[in-house]
Amino acid sequence: MSDSDSKYISNIIRQRIQHAGARFNANDNIADFIEEGELDQLQAEVEEKMTEVLKSLVIDIDTDHNTQETARRVAKMYVREVFGGRYHSMPPITEFPNIEKLSELIIIGPIQVRSACSHHLCPIMGQVWIGVLPDSNSNLIGLSKYARITNWVMGRPQIQEEAIVQLADLLNDKMKPQGLAIVMKADHFCMQWRGVKDMNSKMINSVMRGAFLKNSDLRKEFLDLLPLNKN
């Protein structure tokens, strides 16, 4: 069977995306191009191909009781769980007006996040802090929605630097605040588990928008309130 075989649902989905002129990088969401019932087919296809990967690794999946169901488990994990942010639509995020005209710094976090490095598909485990400076024209969202949208963005193969830019773009579009700041601190298993095998290195990066870029005092207040140096 060829990867170009039309029997594969992945090719049908890919053709839809290409016809629309859309992008389907590892950290993109492609839910708009997946029709009802096709995730089940995609999961079955991934299971079939993961079986061949295990065979190519010279693992006897016929007699090894530990790996007989591994292809099925991995397919479900990728499609339904750790890469779910690619295949599922954004969770509903209801914005409401800033009736009380709040204009003070709001900090949300730490939000626990789990992702996977696009380069090696190794886990990324970390925390995200979000700072919001609203004004009278800003929209507000419920506290739990920050975690939902963060985990939706992180639930796909990511590069940390790009992930928080995606998150900042989404929140900026939803809320239109005076300022938005995001900081992420994470362990990268592609450094700890392979390669240099450095167990202590972490990556910290930030995105600043609006007032956080222009006002150094506001930026300092936000960063000083984060417990980054206490862990």
Side-chain angles (χ1 to χ4, degrees), residues 5-68:
D5 194 326
S6 61
K7 69 171 282 185
Y8 286 124
I9 191 62
S10 62
N11 289 323
I12 295 172
I13 296 169
R14 185 180 298 106
Q15 286 165 10
R16 286 185 198 135
I17 298 171
Q18 291 172 330
H19 181 73
R23 203 180 75 164
F24 54 104
N25 287 359
N27 62 352
D28 288 327
N29 177 271
I30 59 171
D32 287 345
F33 303 97
I34 299 175
E35 298 180 359
E36 186 175 355
E38 289 183 341
L39 270 187
D40 291 334
Q41 298 176 57
L42 188 62
Q43 183 176 322
E45 178 184 328
V46 173
E47 178 180 348
E48 176 187 340
K49 293 185 176 181
M50 183 55 63
T51 298
E52 295 307 310
V53 170
L54 293 170
K55 289 179 179 179
S56 293
L57 291 170
V58 199
I59 295 173
D60 186 353
I61 59 175
D62 295 319
T63 62
D64 179 1
H65 62 283
N66 289 317
T67 57
Q68 286 174 352

Side-chain angles (χ1 to χ4, degrees), residues 18 25 27 31 55 63 69 92 139 142 146 149 153 161 163 169 177 204 220:
Q18 291 172 330
N25 287 359
N27 62 352
K55 289 179 179 179
T63 62
E69 296 294 321
N139 294 321
Y146 290 99
I149 198 169
V153 169
E161 304 94 303
D169 289 343
I204 302 173
K220 183 178 187 303

